[in-house]
Amino acid sequence: TTSPASNNLPPSSNTAPTTALSTKGASTTPESSSVQTPSDSVLSEGGTTGGTLVQLFRDPPTLDPHITTDNISGAIVNEIFGGLVTLDPDLNIVQDLASWEVSSDGTVYTFHINPEAKFHDGKKVTAKDVRWSLERATDPLTQSPVAEQYLGDIVGVSAKINGEADTLAGVRVIDDQTIELTIDAAKSYFLAKLTYPTGFILDRKNVENEAGDWLRNPNGTGPFKLEQYDIGETLRLARNEDYHLGAAFLDEVEFILSGGTGMLMYENDEIHITGVGLADLERVQDPSDRLYSDLHKAPPAFNTSYVGMNVNEPPLDDPKVRQALNYAANKEAINMAVLNDLMVPAKGIIPPGFPSYNPDIRGYEYNPEKAKQLLSASTYGDNLDDMPLIILSISGSFGATVPLDLEVILQAWADLGIRVEIQQTEWATFLQDLHGRRFQLFSIGWGADYPDPENFLDVLFHSQSDNNHTNYNNPTVDALLERARVEPDQTTRFE
């Protein structure tokens, strides 16, 4: 899933990635606030139940699961809707709407719908709902930018997306509670891909009868219902009491969309959780500070932030220019001096701790002299005045602060004689341009959708992937990725 490169939890705060402030137990709130504090009933895990969780957020680009591609939208979509399967906290694939069994050759998946699974209006989920949802997601009129990526293993999806078929050949309704999906080859990650919103189940009547307004009152199957959404102001989710996997602990979750400073709002008891920015980190790490006891280390997140280079756009179509930009960036020094050693400098796209992560990858070392030599050997030689201006696109409102780590990298490139200018656009527009491959150079983040390296490597670098935003095209890499898709031995796959 794409995310703003500076995105951390919560998304609208400019925070350090490994720390967060959160209230414990029944925290106090201003009398003027409508926020309810959690009740005193204790859960077996030692927490509390009830109340409203309030946090700073931003408007999601969409609430339609079938066109969701980013983590801002996904955070809301995953609470309102659901799919056949989901991930538990330990990243195991478990039942959501259905249990399943797999044929001996690994190509036919038979799903049995949970008889307790219902839409928010109380209507039971059926196999026909599953078939219609998959066909909607792959309908050319839906214009899903990722349907091929997440559902393309199902037989007939490519034909449906290309307008060559009206139905999906690999989807068969057995009865009201049973549906069969056939994929083109045995693939160990197929179930994991169904946890992505593109495979979520929608209510046909809700979508078709309310036409363009259905997202104002979505009839999902998830643990929360959309209670209120005032664009640019507030989004509120209310607990689904009849959720088939058990009702949520919280009564409501309120997202403040109107902006603000996370730390200030937290200290004023306006929100219950915020990331801690570098400017405040030293202060709240002091045991004498009143916020010290609220400070928590956030769990590891399988995210990688990177600068993407469109290999079809001059001067980035020259590999030597791309390599020079890499050698000029001193990631280790930036992490230590600018980011207080809170990040892990990336040597590859796979984040630490993720399946197939290789700690022995060398990556690009910092070598400004080598960067200069590469530029001299590039198409532009020693006359960098002839090099086209490079535009670095980032998400954010006009005039928003450029992340300090990016500023340091830009200065390193300027020292090489390379001209780079910043262009900022709002997140929704940024996503449209990203999928349209209209960027020359862009700063972005990628977060894992499921625990398999295919979600990083195949999704971002296969030449035919809809998410290959850099236009990277290497037949050798394609062949390796295609072999890895069907390799049954996980160790061999990872290699």
PDB file of all heavy atoms in Angstrom, residues 19 145 155 186 211 270:
ATOM      1  N   THR A  19       8.011   6.120  18.232  1.00  0.00           N
ATOM      2  CA  THR A  19       7.450   6.502  19.511  1.00  0.00           C
ATOM      3  C   THR A  19       6.086   7.132  19.333  1.00  0.00           C
ATOM      4  O   THR A  19       5.777   7.748  18.324  1.00  0.00           O
ATOM      5  CB  THR A  19       8.354   7.520  20.235  1.00  0.00           C
ATOM      6  OG1 THR A  19       8.643   8.587  19.329  1.00  0.00           O
ATOM      7  CG2 THR A  19       9.644   6.883  20.682  1.00  0.00           C
ATOM      8  N   PRO A 145      -7.283   0.670  -9.992  1.00  0.00           N
ATOM      9  CA  PRO A 145      -5.889   0.675 -10.456  1.00  0.00           C
ATOM     10  C   PRO A 145      -5.099  -0.547 -10.011  1.00  0.00           C
ATOM     11  O   PRO A 145      -3.969  -0.740 -10.448  1.00  0.00           O
ATOM     12  CB  PRO A 145      -5.323   1.959  -9.834  1.00  0.00           C
ATOM     13  CG  PRO A 145      -6.175   2.227  -8.655  1.00  0.00           C
ATOM     14  CD  PRO A 145      -7.534   1.680  -8.962  1.00  0.00           C
ATOM     15  N   VAL A 155      -8.563 -17.175 -12.415  1.00  0.00           N
ATOM     16  CA  VAL A 155      -8.771 -17.422 -13.843  1.00  0.00           C
ATOM     17  C   VAL A 155      -9.879 -16.498 -14.371  1.00  0.00           C
ATOM     18  O   VAL A 155     -10.953 -16.397 -13.785  1.00  0.00           O
ATOM     19  CB  VAL A 155      -9.143 -18.897 -14.082  1.00  0.00           C
ATOM     20  CG1 VAL A 155      -9.546 -19.126 -15.542  1.00  0.00           C
ATOM     21  CG2 VAL A 155      -7.974 -19.810 -13.707  1.00  0.00           C
ATOM     22  N   ALA A 186      -0.666 -22.923  -8.701  1.00  0.00           N
ATOM     23  CA  ALA A 186      -0.547 -22.969  -7.246  1.00  0.00           C
ATOM     24  C   ALA A 186       0.372 -21.844  -6.771  1.00  0.00           C
ATOM     25  O   ALA A 186       1.520 -21.753  -7.196  1.00  0.00           O
ATOM     26  CB  ALA A 186      -0.007 -24.324  -6.808  1.00  0.00           C
ATOM     27  N   ALA A 211     -26.435   4.524  -6.089  1.00  0.00           N
ATOM     28  CA  ALA A 211     -25.578   5.078  -7.153  1.00  0.00           C
ATOM     29  C   ALA A 211     -24.341   5.738  -6.556  1.00  0.00           C
ATOM     30  O   ALA A 211     -23.628   5.157  -5.769  1.00  0.00           O
ATOM     31  CB  ALA A 211     -26.371   6.040  -8.009  1.00  0.00           C
ATOM     32  N   GLU A 270      -7.260  16.823  23.654  1.00  0.00           N
ATOM     33  CA  GLU A 270      -8.217  16.825  22.543  1.00  0.00           C
ATOM     34  C   GLU A 270      -8.168  15.520  21.755  1.00  0.00           C
ATOM     35  O   GLU A 270      -9.129  15.174  21.063  1.00  0.00           O
ATOM     36  CB  GLU A 270      -7.924  17.999  21.609  1.00  0.00           C
ATOM     37  CG  GLU A 270      -8.066  19.363  22.256  1.00  0.00           C
ATOM     38  CD  GLU A 270      -7.585  20.473  21.327  1.00  0.00           C
ATOM     39  OE1 GLU A 270      -8.175  20.597  20.232  1.00  0.00           O
ATOM     40  OE2 GLU A 270      -6.628  21.176  21.685  1.00  0.00           O
TER      41      GLU A 270
END
